[in-house]
Amino acid sequence: MMKYLFIIVTLLSINLNQKTEKLNGRYNYLVEDNNSYIQKDKITFKDSIFVFDNKYMPKGKISYGNVILLDNFINTDLIISIPKNQIEKDTILFYMHDKKSSSANYLDEVIGKGKLIRIK
């Protein structure tokens, strides 16, 4: 009996941990400009895609790994990285990168930053 209870508890805890691994919900999208943050849009995350309220923005793709990457903006050279430890926070810091950067790995060169603030 205890063995089955342990298995059920283990499965539930694995399931709960997986939910925090994905970005979900609505956020205000702010970009840093001259040391202050300016709200550009609102963004909705659902598992592996994101959508801006601005209807002209394409649906974006989210890649999950050691760093979470947001890709497929109107500016196709732009990619956003989010450190994995930020995902559970209500205010998520992110970094912008240029895919056409001259550095060996474009993720090493930050061209801008911003934050996502959860809309409750």
Side-chain angles (χ1 to χ4, degrees):
M1 182 68 183
M2 287 301 288
K3 182 168 76 173
Y4 295 116
L5 184 62
F6 176 75
I7 290 171
I8 290 170
V9 169
T10 303
L11 289 173
L12 283 174
S13 65
I14 290 170
N15 212 9
L16 291 174
N17 286 342
Q18 287 176 336
K19 288 187 178 178
T20 60
E21 294 287 315
K22 302 263 184 189
L23 276 169
N24 280 300
R26 267 173 73 67
Y27 291 81
N28 288 312
Y29 175 77
L30 292 82
V31 175
E32 187 186 55
D33 186 21
N34 291 327
N35 294 325
S36 61
Y37 287 92
I38 297 157
Q39 182 170 339
K40 296 291 190 182
D41 209 338
K42 289 183 179 4
I43 188 171
T44 303
F45 294 101
K46 187 163 173 48
D47 294 328
S48 60
I49 62 162
F50 64 90
V51 182
F52 284 95
D53 282 6
N54 174 346
K55 63 181 180 240
Y56 299 108
M57 292 288 279
K59 270 188 184 173
K61 295 181 290 230
I62 306 170
S63 304
Y64 294 97
N66 293 337
V67 174
I68 298 154
L69 300 176
L70 307 183
D71 198 2
N72 198 27
F73 294 90
I74 285 178
N75 173 359
T76 54
D77 295 331
L78 175 70
I79 192 161
I80 286 179
S81 67
I82 300 171
K84 200 168 194 172
N85 67 348
Q86 295 284 312
I87 199 167
E88 294 175 18
K89 299 179 179 178
D90 286 340
T91 299
I92 296 172
L93 301 176
F94 66 81
Y95 302 95
M96 295 183 241
H97 312 275
D98 183 351
K99 289 186 196 171
K100 291 189 173 168
S101 165
S102 58
S103 60
N105 179 357
Y106 59 82
L107 292 175
D108 290 341
E109 186 179 328
V110 175
I111 61 166
K113 60 183 180 176
K115 53 183 154 181
L116 302 167
I117 301 174
R118 185 184 299 277
I119 300 169
K120 304 237 176 191

